[in-house]
Amino acid sequence: MSFDAFSSRAMENKILRDSSAAQLRSTDAVLGGPLNDLLSSLAALKTAVNDEVPRIVVVQGTITGNEIVRIKSNKSVIGAPGAALVGVGLKVSGYNNIIVRNLKISFVLAGAGDAVGAQEASNLWFDHLELSSDLAHDIDYYDGLLDLTHGTKYVTISWCILRDHWKTSLIGHNDNNESEDVSITATYHHNYFKNIDARGPSVRFGKAHIYNNFYENVKSAVNTRMGAQVLVENNVFKNVTKPILAELSDEVGYAVERGNVYTSGSGSNTAPLGTLTSVPYSYALVSATAAQTAVVASAGAKLTF
């Protein structure tokens, strides 16, 4: 089994940043770190990510529990083929320079926390994950699948499946946290949002670039709130009641939308026009229909190496 892809590939820099900032090279330390042995226990995983030494941590098999593993700086947490966390979530709080790839994470109870969560963190890449729970329990039985709060910035979420969930992906802690959350920046691309109620994502205060995703059987998708600015382009919304909206807060957010496809009785964009018309990085934008095909075929924990 070779992990050359993780030691030689630069992290995606498809992340929002201030136009005056220099080019980000956010994970050089991670990708230069040693490869840890394959880990198959909760205790071993917690130990491997509990320092700031650059390290590639490889998870094998299924790890179960009812708690959150806190990841410190300079880590790549990679799932070997078939790796899964059940009832075990991942959290980054106050750390940076972290990659999480190729894992299935499911059924993390609200009492433990989010399936994936980040607070006061930066330079994060969440890629080829499958995050899920169920809609059989009430809305508060689980928390978020992937939440970014308290000023977390420079984040990419790519090629992930987020499915069967109520409160899917929240950006911004609450309506009273502008001082921190106005700095949040995130990019979502080539993700599959399927059978979710809301938050695909729900954005407060910060900025989000949302492109080439596929939404299927969703009530509320991209919700821009409390002055947030979102750029939503070349996504497919299939059977989505409210694809792009500005609801549920005292103040609306704003959206620029272009190139999106609305099918199977989907609604349309009802958010006020925003000002986020470009982003300070290059990216390969494909048509919405081409993105749908690619996402269905390749999103989720499908990497092999």
Side-chain angles (χ1 to χ4, degrees):
M1 179 181 294
S2 170
F3 290 88
D4 290 346
F6 305 120
S7 60
S8 63
R9 177 178 177 176
M11 179 185 178
E12 290 200 356
N13 67 347
K14 298 179 179 69
I15 47 183
L16 290 163
R17 54 201 180 267
D18 294 338
S19 59
S20 60
Q23 176 86 2
L24 287 171
R25 297 185 58 82
S26 60
T27 56
D28 291 348
V30 179
L31 297 174
L35 173 64
N36 211 71
D37 291 336
L38 296 176
L39 304 178
S40 57
S41 74
L42 181 57
L45 175 59
K46 291 166 66 174
T47 299
V49 299
N50 193 35
D51 58 37
E52 297 186 56
V53 176
R55 183 177 298 118
I56 300 171
V57 177
V58 183
V59 178
Q60 185 177 42
T62 298
I63 296 175
T64 62
N66 182 26
E67 62 181 286
I68 300 300
V69 174
R70 295 177 178 268
I71 306 174
K72 295 186 177 180
S73 296
N74 306 318
K75 298 295 180 295
S76 289
V77 180
I78 312 299
L85 304 179
V86 179
V88 176
L90 302 176
K91 185 172 185 177
V92 183
S93 184
Y95 293 98
N96 59 76
N97 212 28
I98 291 161
I99 296 171
V100 182
R101 303 187 77 197
N102 206 51
L103 278 170
K104 293 183 178 181
I105 305 175
S106 61
F107 303 112
V108 180
L109 301 182
D114 301 318
V116 177
Q119 300 181 355
E120 300 178 285
S122 66
N123 306 103
L124 312 175
W125 184 24
F126 302 113
D127 178 67
H128 278 92
L129 305 178
E130 182 172 340
L131 309 175
S132 67
S133 65
D134 63 63
L135 293 166
H137 294 87
D138 68 59
I139 193 171
D140 294 320
Y141 190 78
Y142 306 102
D143 204 345
L145 285 184
L146 200 161
D147 286 4
L148 311 174
T149 61
H150 295 283
T152 292
K153 56 191 175 184
Y154 312 143
V155 184
T156 296
I157 299 99
S158 58
W159 296 100
C160 295
I161 296 173
L162 301 95
R163 63 174 178 84
D164 302 311
H165 199 76
W166 290 98
K167 300 179 291 185
T168 307
S169 187
L170 177 69
I171 296 179
H173 177 56
N174 61 35
D175 285 2
N176 301 310
N177 205 47
E178 179 178 7
S179 61
E180 285 186 311
D181 289 339
V182 71
S183 65
I184 291 179
T185 53
T187 299
Y188 291 73
H189 74 83
H190 292 92
N191 301 293
Y192 191 179
F193 295 86
K194 184 177 183 180
N195 299 333
I196 64 168
D197 182 76
R199 302 184 182 179
S202 175
V203 187
R204 291 186 180 104
F205 300 115
K207 297 181 178 68
H209 184 200
I210 301 162
Y211 73 92
N212 282 162
N213 302 284
F214 178 37
Y215 296 81
E216 185 175 23
N217 301 332
V218 175
K219 289 185 179 179
S220 169
V222 180
N223 192 0
T224 177
R225 308 158 64 180
M226 299 304 297
Q229 295 282 348
V230 299
L231 173 58
V232 187
E233 51 183 349
N234 291 34
N235 305 280
V236 172
F237 298 93
K238 181 180 180 181
N239 190 30
V240 178
T241 306
K242 297 180 178 182
I244 308 170
L245 63 152
E247 298 180 4
L248 302 179
S249 286
D250 291 339
E251 299 177 23
V252 299
Y254 303 90
V256 172
E257 74 92 25
R258 57 198 183 206
N260 298 295
V261 173
Y262 305 90
T263 69
S264 301
S266 291
S268 60
N269 172 31
T270 60
L273 180 64
T275 59
L276 185 63
T277 58
S278 63
V279 291
Y281 51 78
S282 60
Y283 59 102
L285 185 69
V286 301
S287 71
T289 53
Q292 175 182 338
T293 300
V295 165
V296 171
S298 301
K302 296 177 180 177
L303 299 178
T304 58
F305 21 76

